[in-house]
Amino acid sequence: TELTNDETSIPDFSGFMRIVVITDVKPMAWQKKYQLPKKIKSTMETCFQIKEHLLIACGNLYIGDDIKYLNNFVCTFSSGQLAQEEIVTRLFG
């Protein structure tokens, strides 16, 4: 499921035991636009508190800075398609 902003309808993740979240948020610190939208962040925190999880940041090391209950975090320093495909290959074979 792709979530793009606070207006996005958040799907029900209650039936999942594990959650993998891949973010592609471009760092623009000078504009303070390097964090997730509040609704998406809140949903992730709720899920992370009670489920096994992995947050993968593509190109933005700071995305996990203020996410509560974040236990497993990987950053690729690249948001390109090849980097994202490599993540999936390494995690899921």
Side-chain angles (χ1 to χ4, degrees), residues 78-89:
S78 173
S79 61
Q81 182 177 345
L82 289 175
Q84 293 181 25
E85 288 173 2
E86 187 64 22
I87 291 166
V88 173
T89 299

Side-chain angles (χ1 to χ4, degrees), residues 3-8 10 23-26 32-45 63 66-67:
L3 308 176
T4 56
N5 57 42
D6 273 333
E7 287 74 44
T8 301
I10 304 292
T23 64
D24 187 4
V25 177
K26 305 291 185 263
K32 298 187 179 189
K33 292 183 181 179
Y34 57 89
Q35 296 297 327
L36 295 168
K38 290 178 185 179
K39 183 176 178 182
I40 293 171
K41 179 183 166 216
S42 174
T43 299
M44 286 172 50
E45 289 175 340
I63 202 73
D66 66 341
I67 296 176

